[in-house]
Every structure is written in structure tokens, then in C-alpha cells.
Amino acid sequence: DLEDLKKVFEACGFKDVKTIATSGNVAFSAALAEAAVVKKAEAELKKRLGMETPVHLRSRDELKKMVQADPYKKFSIPDDAKCVITFLDATTKPAIKLPHEQDLTSILIIKDGVAYSFYRPNPKGAVFMKVLEKAFGKGVTTRTWDMINRLVT
């Protein structure tokens, strides 16, 4: 529930807390170092919601730089494709050679701890998440490129 998620981040002492759509994204202000914010948010999610979930933190400026750099423009993306980004954690060691293609999913590049990919409709369903999880493990989070663009506008 989005209201519960908002309350978790408010309980951390963060300001201007706002949930974005149903994506699990939360915007807020904090006067702490990044590592402290992540630690506090992860602990509060576990305490209040019983969820052990990795928190991936990016500032609005970092997201704006990603959007302005637009790594996708270097690639030919099919019209029916959906672009997604995967925030990797510091321990992620991908065991794949890039670009990597599997089950209509293409992992293009990794830059600054972010994997840029796209997937196309697959008769097997949403297998793109399985491809990304196999490549990067479970300590990651994936969002659509459209959502990242929405977050910075």
C-alpha cells in the first residue's frame, strides 16, 4: 500500500515524502549521507512492513544526468520494445558479455551502476525479469525508462 510506504519513509525522519504511481518509487528529502539513508530505509521497511528489500537511492540530479545522457540513443531500439533500467548494487558482478540477448530481452550496456536494457513482447509472458535476475541476481531493482523520465520532469 502506497500510504504505508509513505509512512515508512516519514518514520525515518525524511521530509517531503511522496510516492510515485504504484511503482514503489519514493521521492523525499534527507539531510543524511546516502549510505545512512539506505540503511535507515531498509531497517524501517523491515520493522514496519516485514519486508527485507534493498533500497536503491538516486538523487534527482543523478536521474536528470541519466536522462540527458540517454544511452539508448546509441542503439537501434525496435518500435515494439520497452526500455528498462536496472539499478545494480555495489556487489553485483554480471557474468554475461554485453550486449546480451535472450528471450527477446537485450541487455545493452552497464554504466555507473545501471544496466540499460529493452525487451519485446514475448509469448512466454514477462520473462524479461527472469533474464535480468539471472544476469544480475536478486539485489537489484528495475524501472521503465518512461518512469525515470517522469521522475525528473
Side-chain angles (χ1 to χ4, degrees), residues 41-59:
E42 288 177 345
E44 201 65 29
L45 282 164
K46 185 174 182 179
K47 176 182 160 188
R48 290 180 170 259
L49 303 180
M51 297 173 58
E52 260 192 66
T53 185
V55 171
H56 295 269
L57 183 66
R58 296 295 188 279
S59 71

Side-chain angles (χ1 to χ4, degrees), residues 7-97:
K7 287 177 183 175
V8 166
F9 282 76
E10 288 172 340
C12 290
F14 305 149
K15 304 291 181 213
D16 310 313
V17 178
K18 182 172 82 171
T19 56
I20 292 99
T22 58
S23 63
N25 293 314
V26 181
F28 59 91
S29 301
L32 298 171
E34 182 176 326
V37 168
V38 169
K39 186 176 180 179
K40 196 169 201 177
E42 288 177 345
E44 201 65 29
L45 282 164
K46 185 174 182 179
K47 176 182 160 188
R48 290 180 170 259
L49 303 180
M51 297 173 58
E52 260 192 66
T53 185
V55 171
H56 295 269
L57 183 66
R58 296 295 188 279
S59 71
R60 182 177 295 267
D61 286 343
E62 288 174 292
L63 295 176
K64 280 182 183 178
K65 286 177 186 172
M66 287 171 54
V67 168
Q68 289 167 351
D70 189 4
Y72 291 105
K73 66 185 172 195
K74 300 175 186 170
F75 298 93
S76 179
I77 309 293
D79 289 340
D80 64 343
K82 187 75 159 170
C83 293
V84 293
I85 63 166
T86 302
F87 293 108
L88 310 176
D89 69 20
T91 63
T92 303
K93 303 275 187 271
I96 56 172
K97 184 178 181 201

Side-chain angles (χ1 to χ4, degrees), residues 1-10 19:
D1 170 288
L2 292 178
E3 192 56 36
D4 289 340
L5 186 59
K6 182 178 180 186
K7 287 177 183 175
V8 166
F9 282 76
E10 288 172 340
T19 56

